[in-house]
Amino acid sequence: MIKMDELKEYMYINELLLIYGKTLTKRQLKIMESYYKYNLGVQEIAEELNITKAAVSDAIKVSTKHLENLESIVGHYAYRQQVEALHEEIKNTSTLQEVKELLSKEEDDGI
């Protein structure tokens, strides 16, 4: 059974793949999508691509590090999270003045 932390990690990596996936090689992208998007095991991926399990594991590790490094530099995922949080706050706000205050605050914070 998948734990909540593992599920969050899978979701996070899938988001990074959507945002930055095109920066990976075709083989890296194939391995990452097979593992994270289609939930195939390392053994299954290795057999499908006719490579070793160690090569699959290494590709996953290197590709994940690459995606996380890009996110730390560009910050697109974090920005989207902030925008979504602001959107939720605005939906739950009752007056125009409160909305303006929220937007002003976020503008000051750089969103």
Side-chain angles (χ1 to χ4, degrees):
M1 189 161 149
I2 295 179
K3 297 177 185 173
M4 186 57 77
D5 288 343
E6 291 174 6
L7 183 58
K8 286 180 182 178
E9 177 73 11
Y10 270 66
M11 292 170 59
Y12 175 67
I13 297 299
N14 270 308
E15 287 294 321
L16 294 184
L17 279 170
L18 286 172
I19 298 166
Y20 306 114
K22 291 186 180 192
T23 66
L24 298 172
T25 66
K26 287 181 183 181
R27 173 162 259 173
Q28 286 174 322
L29 184 58
K30 171 79 171 159
I31 291 169
M32 292 294 283
E33 285 181 337
S34 295
Y35 189 76
Y36 284 102
K37 186 175 179 181
Y38 301 114
N39 204 24
L40 296 179
V42 171
Q43 179 69 39
E44 294 170 296
I45 299 167
E47 289 173 2
E48 181 181 322
L49 298 177
N50 199 28
I51 58 177
T52 66
K53 291 191 305 184
V56 172
S57 294
D58 186 53
I60 292 169
K61 184 178 177 182
V62 168
S63 300
T64 300
K65 190 171 202 141
H66 171 77
L67 295 173
E68 289 174 336
N69 184 49
L70 277 174
E71 175 57 20
S72 73
I73 293 167
V74 178
H76 184 77
Y77 176 78
Y79 176 77
R80 278 185 30 198
Q81 296 297 91
Q82 289 178 318
V83 169
E84 287 175 14
L86 175 61
H87 183 255
E88 283 302 312
E89 280 187 74
I90 290 171
K91 282 185 357 185
N92 296 324
T93 302
S94 60
T95 68
L96 181 58
Q97 183 59 36
E98 289 173 330
V99 170
K100 287 179 180 179
E101 288 171 9
L102 275 174
L103 291 175
S104 178
K105 177 185 173 284
E106 296 303 327
E107 201 172 77
D108 292 341
D109 290 344
I111 293 184

